[in-house]
Amino acid sequence: MKYDTILVLDFGGQYCHLIGRRIREHGVYSELAPHDVKPEEIKLLSEKLNVKGLIFSGGPASVYETNPPRPDPNILGLHLPVLGLCYGHQLIAQTIGGRIEPAKQREYGIAYVTVDKPVGLLKGLGDREKVWMSHSDTVFSVPAEYEVLAHTENCPVAAFRHKEKPIYGLQWHPEVVHTEKGTQMLRNFIFEVCTCEPNWKIEDIVEKAVKEIKIQVGSGKAITALSGGIDSSVATALAAEAIDNRLTAVFVDHGFMRENEPEFVKNVFSKFKINLITADARERFLTKLKGVVDPEKKRKIIGEEFIRVFEENAERTGAEYLIQGTIYPDRIESGFGRFSDKIKTHHNVAGLPTRIMFKKIVEPLRDLYKDEVRKVAKILELPKEIVFRQPFPGPGLAVRIMGELTKEKVEIAKKADKIVREEIEKGGLEKNLWQYFAVLTDTKATGVKGDARAYDYVVAVRIVESREAMTASFAKIPYTVLEKISTRITNEIPEVTRVVYDITHKPPATIEWE
Ligand code: XMP
């Protein structure tokens, strides 16, 4: 059976992934495609998927720039339903000969649209709807074979459609929660306009992934890099289900793990019939990092050393296949991330490059978003400590210890991190948090412990709320909990005299300190 599918053409908008996820939430499969995907490529995709509609995403460009990103001119010739959002809306309007101009007033944020015709995409909506807009170019008119469906004070054509063909444009973003009836608008597009069947469900993914691993690995041996994070854990669990003890999982202990982490991972995966290798590489990482202070250098050294340790262990197993927990956003970011700036070198166990010649790299999670991976983890009955665990960066505590890494500093960071986790989890606060951890700064401050003056480390506590880590806000944790964290850290860790709470959002700060 082929999944009914909506393709989202990516014009560089920050909400592209969100559009895809919103569609999948309704049981309809969705994939991102480059903005200039060729009609032949879509036809080819149709061998596997039943492509039933296209969405042109928003994007930072203006149709007036020189060489703005445009779709393939023959794409409309496929006669598939099309919906343009924001920049996509302007693109379609321009292509069909509509009039677009820079707006008198830029609209950004919540806006109220007057619905002139509640039909098609806007079926079931009221006269006035609250939507999320962000644009400066504005569509002022569309040709006679099109009709206006909604307008705002500054935007005469906020929604339009072709009078006969399924071609739609919306100046606003239905995928964003601030658009109150956004879900209904997307449902109208998926089910009314594109007549999709909701025939995609997450359970199928498990069965499909296990089958695929079985076919791809055949009677061979495979290896996986297990970090204890959710992605590599789920990939490992799926592979275990498919090939049992022909799978070797390598857990590299670089020494910057949280307290008890190696034991935790060993314990969870001892229940599977796989071979688990724990590579104790603590000394080796510290030696490589001696004297290194620059955060990017630290990250690079850790990433490279990780690969060396993995390779050494992989070679011994004689595995011909590498199974990786690469998820959908990882794949897209490395593919079309060309418009975005590099903020940090992410060392990601899932994106493990290696010198070893594997016959094949198998990526069973390649089409899934993070929340979908969590659902798969639940189906596989992985313990809740794995399903709901907070993200943990590949380089671990190393990017939470400012300056040079030493054994002493690692021990302090581990203790502080454990206290933050315990106090947050005691109150069940973690359910609404993206991450909560301690950072060991390289600042020292004066304190008084007992009757004596002390001059020692400052620990920063970082607790954030976020949906996708692209943006984050510091969490408004009750003072009593912060007080408990601070008291315990200064009491239980003699080398710390002061605890501060990081009250910076992302942006401008990143979540991790390095
Ligand atoms: P930043 O600090 O860039 O982090 O705001 C965003 C999210 O990514 C996690 N992070 C990493 N994850 N390897 C990873 O697998 C890394 O090198 C890495 N660095 C940051 C971070 O914990 C946050 O959730």
Side-chain angles (χ1 to χ4, degrees), residues 13 42 95 105 138 201 204 327 331-332 453 473 484 497:
I42 296 182
T95 314
Q105 206 178 334
T138 299
K201 61 178 188 311
D204 296 347
I327 68 170
R331 194 154 67 93
I332 297 294
R453 179 185 185 276
S473 19
K484 191 76 199 291
T497 50

Side-chain angles (χ1 to χ4, degrees), residues 98-104 137-142 148 154-157:
R99 187 165 69 87
I100 308 172
E101 282 174 19
K104 289 186 211 93
D137 288 348
T138 299
V139 182
F140 283 87
S141 69
V142 280
V148 178
N154 302 310
C155 179
V157 187

